[in-house]
Amino acid sequence: MRRVVMKFGGSSVATTEKIKKVAEILKRRKNGMNDIVCVVSAMGDTTDELLSLAGELSKNPSRRELDMLLATGEMVSASLLAIALNEMGEKAIALNGVQAGFQTKGRHGFSKVVDVDTFRIEKELLEDKIVIVTGFQGLNSNEDFSTLGRGGSDTSAVAIASKLGVDCEIYTDVDGIYTVDPRFHKEAKKLTKVSYDEAMEMAHLGAKIIDPRSVEMAKKYGIRIYVALNSASVLGTYIGEDSVEESIISNLSVQDNILLVKKTLKDESVAELFLNLAREDVNIDIISKMDTDGKTLVRFTSVIDEKNLIEKVADDFEFVENVSKVSIIGNAMRNQSGVAARVFDLLNSNGINFHGLSTSEISISIIVDTIVKEKVMNLLIREFEL
Amino acid sequence: MRRVVMKFGGSSVATTEKIKKVAEILKRRKNGMNDIVCVVSAMGDTTDELLSLAGELSKNPSRRELDMLLATGEMVSASLLAIALNEMGEKAIALNGVQAGFQTKGRHGFSKVVDVDTFRIEKELLEDKIVIVTGFQGLNSNEDFSTLGRGGSDTSAVAIASKLGVDCEIYTDVDGIYTVDPRFHKEAKKLTKVSYDEAMEMAHLGAKIIDPRSVEMAKKYGIRIYVALNSASVLGTYIGEDSVEESIISNLSVQDNILLVKKTLKDESVAELFLNLAREDVNIDIISKMDTDGKTLVRFTSVIDEKNLIEKVADDFEFVENVSKVSIIGNAMRNQSGVAARVFDLLNSNGINFHGLSTSEISISIIVDTIVKEKVMNLLIREFEL
């Protein structure tokens, strides 16, 4: 029997009707001679509903208690899915994060998977059961429930797949990874495969497809991730060693609600500034520094949500809001020079004023006012045939 | 610090507003120099809602999966209560059945507590925390969640109290134990104390006050149970060694929906009949047998819900429905003869026709048609000044 790990997100198990459909998919795969471990998220908006209950009691609830509260969401969906499978005559068992052997460390709500002791999962697979595992959760060294943060169920699935050395299929509400978000660009092309690095860069640069931590783990253990819709009829996207052939740029991603922050100061206080920002846990992206007339102009990007935090550090920041970051990503950039030059030329010849531009090994990001975002996207789509 | 175990039922934690009120009660007790372990049930109708979700997927869901599903109910209420206490500045921690050390055995959904390893509870108490424990659940030897059945949270609370050797306070939606259900008899007297045996007999004979298993455990470990309303202002009822002084009968309880079953058969097949009924797991209460003319008339009582099961055993049973069981209970019956005679006389002189009558060491139960139930209750209330 070929083993496979399949993960279904919250929208796939939002109602008992949808849970039945997932059960049917699993039953078909099982009868197609697969040993299945299935990781599930909480039903629909359960996590938000639980958070709102906690919010009625405290503005700043203890993360340790929240994790116990939130861990119930996946226990409900997992046990219901096992019940649905039993009803169809399939042997199935639901395991929560503790039973499935997830050992975690780090802050509650943002925990990391240290290891998965797959003893129990292996045992149940050998008894020919479909093993349903709650995503998003584990037990830390205090023997307390801990959760992995948003997108954590992807990480749970990839962690099990990594330990079992098998592929991981992630079923979601998009049917694969596209060159551009199809809601913006109808002619966007679906990518049959992208490389680990591209997928990680896409996730970091705004594509809401998969948790970047899970791609990192898949890369480390050399297992493939397959992202697709529930229904097996449409082919999705593989994330693995290889990228799409013969295309420099494989994806365009966008992040809105960027906050551009400027400050003029003496050169010797720059280090202190960023130390203070780090102390407040401010999330900083692109930094640029310019020296003129003995003064230093520092400019960095963050996100709107962090404005309050930034204001704690100093009261003379200049803020620019309504800013977006448009990024293009492609493995082939590694071996191909001149992409940045092409982008510069494109923006200049079309009179686009941009706040900044940053490059990584396989991506270029352009900071622009949100008002010109779509124009920039369309220029890039045409230039790189996305 | 005096230690105490307090248990709050589902109606006491049905909403976040009610959870706040319970938190206030706990905070006051804590500041009154008590070390507190608080056992909670699931919020309001949560358990029924979870059962109904499972019911949408299967008419006969696996009890193992159901137990995982149901165990989430108390995890939600427990973590929310801890969050509410934190918000009030109290140190508190929620532990689920596994973390609280509940080891169980037996059928899923009807498990028994084998032991409570209170190591973690003791540790958290020493750190001056209010320890919130999920009722109703534990871990069995397969490392699976198991639940203790309806009323199981009482058992959880008494089990912890027994291990810690402290009193157990059970807060519910009645303000104590009465001689008669006050909804039927407004002048019913509240009992300040009842004996373990009386409380067990009351629970078995229809009084829905406390799970009889928990009284049995309290008796075994010699700890007292206090049953009362949430608010500390009204005195409740203690369950302990002693009974109420100077009263023969301390309680009248009623069970409706009794099924009276009759069958005529040959004497040698009586044993076989009851063996077959036992095989179907039929719940049988009072049995009577009469021999006439070489035939044997067997009569027993069960409950309406078991009629289908009983019909599986034979097709020539005669059923009498709309039957009730009225019972009087009192510790003093042990040392006082003539109570049964007084009851007989009372029923005869008032022309009450009864189907049967059974006595235990401290109780007398009368099987009557439901239509005369209230008349019988009123006669007994007057006769024994309840």
Side-chain angles (χ1 to χ4, degrees):
Chain A
M1 302 272 272
R2 199 174 78 85
R3 285 181 172 181
V4 65
V5 175
M6 300 168 80
K7 182 252 166 178
F8 292 87
S11 57
S12 300
V13 293
T15 62
T16 49
E17 276 314 305
K18 289 186 171 188
I19 286 174
K20 276 185 204 171
K21 283 195 182 129
V22 171
E24 278 159 17
I25 293 170
L26 296 178
K27 183 184 165 81
R28 274 200 302 273
R29 278 296 284 275
K30 174 77 180 160
N31 296 342
M33 300 299 283
N34 278 269
D35 268 345
I36 299 172
V37 179
C38 174
V39 174
V40 287
S41 302
M43 292 170 78
D45 302 324
T46 307
T47 302
D48 288 331
E49 284 161 20
L50 291 170
L51 282 173
S52 124
L53 277 178
E56 290 172 20
L57 292 168
S58 172
K59 279 195 184 139
N60 190 20
S62 144
R63 287 291 333 187
R64 189 253 169 219
E65 304 305 323
L66 266 192
D67 275 2
M68 176 157 167
L69 180 68
L70 296 181
T72 63
E74 286 76 21
M75 287 173 63
V76 169
S77 52
S79 49
L80 288 176
L81 180 53
I83 286 169
L85 281 162
N86 289 157
E87 181 69 12
M88 294 173 186
E90 290 294 326
K91 287 200 278 185
I93 188 164
L95 302 178
N96 77 352
V98 185
Q99 295 168 314
F102 274 85
Q103 296 151 28
T104 64
K105 68 170 183 186
R107 273 199 298 159
H108 276 288
F110 305 91
S111 297
K112 286 179 180 162
V113 177
V114 179
D115 194 14
V116 188
D117 177 351
T118 53
F119 176 82
R120 177 84 189 258
I121 291 176
E122 296 269 9
K123 174 178 167 288
E124 304 296 348
L125 285 176
L126 287 176
E127 292 179 13
D128 205 32
K129 291 178 190 156
I130 297 175
V131 182
I132 316 295
V133 176
T134 57
F136 179 66
Q137 58 183 255
L139 200 72
N140 66 19
S141 56
N142 295 330
E143 307 218 325
D144 286 330
F145 281 94
S146 59
T147 67
L148 311 178
R150 294 274 161 165
S153 291
D154 290 350
T155 309
S156 302
V158 173
I160 295 173
S162 298
K163 284 290 285 203
L164 298 179
V166 303
D167 282 357
C168 181
E169 303 177 1
I170 294 187
Y171 293 95
T172 169
D173 45 10
V174 296
D175 65 354
I177 302 178
Y178 281 80
T179 52
V180 186
D181 186 338
R183 282 170 301 185
F184 175 77
H185 179 49
K186 275 185 194 160
E187 292 79 34
K189 301 170 190 85
K190 197 195 291 179
L191 301 163
T192 51
K193 51 186 180 179
V194 300
S195 72
Y196 296 121
D197 292 347
E198 284 172 321
M200 272 188 274
E201 202 83 359
M202 287 176 204
H204 279 301
L205 293 174
K208 287 177 191 67
I209 297 159
I210 188 168
D211 180 22
R213 292 175 299 174
S214 56
V215 182
E216 211 177 322
M217 195 185 293
K219 182 183 181 185
K220 186 174 162 196
Y221 287 92
I223 61 149
R224 282 196 310 177
I225 298 177
Y226 176 68
V227 179
L229 267 189
N230 275 357
S231 65
S233 55
V234 186
L235 196 71
T237 302
Y238 280 97
I239 302 171
E241 284 298 336
D242 306 328
S243 168
V244 181
E245 301 84 352
E246 299 172 38
S247 91
I248 305 168
I249 305 302
S250 55
N251 180 264
L252 179 149
S253 290
V254 178
Q255 272 176 299
D256 291 322
N257 297 316
I258 301 287
L259 181 69
L260 189 65
V261 189
K262 299 179 188 178
K263 187 171 158 64
T264 308
L265 68 174
K266 290 196 189 113
D267 194 40
E268 59 268 30
S269 26
V270 172
E272 196 191 333
L273 171 68
F274 285 101
L275 204 65
N276 288 336
L277 288 165
R279 267 196 204 112
E280 292 293 336
D281 244 346
V282 173
N283 197 342
I284 290 175
D285 188 17
I286 303 171
I287 302 174
S288 63
K289 187 167 92 69
M290 261 183 302
D291 300 300
T292 46
D293 302 332
K295 278 185 291 184
T296 299
L297 174 67
V298 168
R299 208 172 59 174
F300 61 89
T301 58
S302 182
V303 288
I304 286 289
D305 289 349
E306 312 247 312
K307 193 175 172 185
N308 288 341
L309 279 181
I310 295 168
E311 282 175 328
K312 282 192 195 171
V313 172
D315 53 10
D316 60 345
F317 285 116
E318 185 190 334
F319 293 106
V320 183
E321 303 192 7
N322 297 314
V323 170
S324 295
K325 181 162 85 167
V326 181
S327 307
I328 48 175
I329 299 139
N331 240 18
M333 269 198 236
R334 279 190 223 275
N335 320 314
Q336 197 129 1
S337 61
V339 177
R342 265 172 84 183
V343 171
F344 263 117
D345 187 40
L346 185 72
L347 297 173
N348 271 332
S349 61
N350 286 281
I352 302 286
N353 189 19
F354 57 91
H355 293 290
L357 193 144
S358 74
T359 62
S360 83
E361 210 182 351
I362 63 165
S363 74
I364 296 175
S365 297
I366 309 148
I367 310 294
V368 293
D369 287 326
T370 302
I371 204 164
V372 298
K373 173 184 77 169
E374 296 201 0
K375 190 172 176 192
V376 173
M377 288 172 73
N378 283 322
L379 287 171
L380 291 166
I381 287 169
R382 213 174 314 131
E383 176 73 16
F384 294 100
E385 294 169 21
L386 297 175
Chain B
M1 303 272 272
R2 198 174 78 86
R3 284 181 172 181
V4 65
V5 175
M6 300 168 80
K7 182 251 166 178
F8 292 87
S11 57
S12 301
V13 293
T15 63
T16 49
E17 276 313 305
K18 289 186 171 186
I19 286 174
K20 275 185 204 171
K21 283 195 182 130
V22 171
E24 279 158 17
I25 293 169
L26 295 178
K27 183 183 164 82
R28 274 200 302 274
R29 279 296 284 274
K30 174 78 180 160
N31 296 342
M33 301 298 283
N34 278 270
D35 268 345
I36 299 171
V37 178
C38 174
V39 174
V40 287
S41 302
M43 291 170 78
D45 301 324
T46 307
T47 302
D48 288 331
E49 284 161 20
L50 291 171
L51 283 174
S52 124
L53 277 179
E56 290 171 20
L57 292 168
S58 172
K59 279 195 184 139
N60 190 20
S62 143
R63 287 292 333 187
R64 189 253 170 219
E65 304 305 323
L66 266 192
D67 275 2
M68 176 157 167
L69 180 68
L70 296 182
T72 63
E74 286 76 21
M75 286 173 63
V76 169
S77 52
S79 49
L80 288 176
L81 181 53
I83 286 169
L85 281 162
N86 290 157
E87 181 69 13
M88 293 174 186
E90 290 294 327
K91 287 200 278 185
I93 188 164
L95 302 178
N96 77 353
V98 184
Q99 295 168 315
F102 274 85
Q103 296 151 28
T104 64
K105 67 169 183 186
R107 273 198 299 158
H108 277 288
F110 306 91
S111 297
K112 286 180 180 161
V113 177
V114 179
D115 193 15
V116 188
D117 177 351
T118 53
F119 176 82
R120 178 82 190 258
I121 291 176
E122 296 268 10
K123 174 179 167 287
E124 303 296 348
L125 285 176
L126 287 176
E127 292 179 14
D128 205 32
K129 291 177 191 156
I130 297 175
V131 182
I132 316 295
V133 176
T134 58
F136 179 66
Q137 58 182 255
L139 200 72
N140 66 19
S141 56
N142 294 331
E143 307 217 324
D144 285 330
F145 281 94
S146 59
T147 67
L148 311 178
R150 295 273 160 165
S153 291
D154 290 350
T155 310
S156 302
V158 173
I160 295 173
S162 298
K163 284 290 285 204
L164 298 179
V166 303
D167 282 358
C168 182
E169 304 177 0
I170 294 187
Y171 293 95
T172 170
D173 45 10
V174 296
D175 65 353
I177 302 177
Y178 282 80
T179 52
V180 186
D181 186 338
R183 281 170 302 184
F184 175 78
H185 179 49
K186 276 187 194 157
E187 291 79 35
K189 301 169 191 85
K190 197 195 293 179
L191 301 163
T192 51
K193 51 186 180 179
V194 299
S195 73
Y196 296 121
D197 292 347
E198 283 173 321
M200 272 188 274
E201 202 83 359
M202 287 176 204
H204 279 301
L205 293 173
K208 287 176 192 68
I209 296 159
I210 188 169
D211 180 23
R213 292 174 299 173
S214 56
V215 182
E216 211 177 322
M217 195 185 294
K219 183 183 181 184
K220 185 174 162 197
Y221 287 92
I223 61 149
R224 282 196 309 178
I225 298 177
Y226 176 68
V227 179
L229 267 189
N230 276 357
S231 65
S233 55
V234 186
L235 196 70
T237 302
Y238 280 97
I239 302 171
E241 284 298 336
D242 306 328
S243 168
V244 180
E245 301 84 353
E246 299 172 38
S247 91
I248 305 168
I249 305 301
S250 55
N251 179 264
L252 179 148
S253 290
V254 177
Q255 272 176 300
D256 290 323
N257 297 316
I258 301 286
L259 180 69
L260 189 64
V261 189
K262 299 179 188 178
K263 187 172 159 65
T264 308
L265 68 174
K266 290 196 189 115
D267 194 39
E268 58 268 30
S269 27
V270 172
E272 196 191 333
L273 171 68
F274 285 101
L275 204 64
N276 288 337
L277 288 165
R279 268 197 204 111
E280 292 293 336
D281 244 346
V282 174
N283 198 341
I284 290 176
D285 188 18
I286 303 171
I287 301 174
S288 63
K289 186 167 92 67
M290 261 183 303
D291 300 300
T292 45
D293 301 332
K295 278 185 292 183
T296 299
L297 174 67
V298 169
R299 207 172 59 174
F300 62 89
T301 58
S302 182
V303 288
I304 285 289
D305 289 349
E306 312 248 311
K307 192 175 174 187
N308 288 341
L309 279 181
I310 296 168
E311 283 175 328
K312 282 193 197 171
V313 172
D315 52 10
D316 60 345
F317 285 116
E318 185 191 334
F319 293 106
V320 183
E321 303 192 7
N322 297 314
V323 170
S324 295
K325 181 162 86 167
V326 181
S327 307
I328 49 174
I329 299 138
N331 241 17
M333 269 198 235
R334 280 190 222 274
N335 319 315
Q336 198 128 0
S337 60
V339 177
R342 265 172 84 183
V343 171
F344 263 117
D345 188 40
L346 185 71
L347 297 173
N348 272 332
S349 60
N350 286 280
I352 302 286
N353 189 18
F354 57 91
H355 293 290
L357 193 144
S358 74
T359 61
S360 83
E361 209 182 351
I362 62 166
S363 73
I364 296 175
S365 297
I366 309 148
I367 309 294
V368 292
D369 287 326
T370 303
I371 205 165
V372 298
K373 173 185 78 170
E374 296 202 0
K375 190 172 177 192
V376 173
M377 288 172 73
N378 283 321
L379 286 171
L380 291 166
I381 287 169
R382 213 175 315 130
E383 176 73 16
F384 294 101
E385 294 169 22
L386 297 176

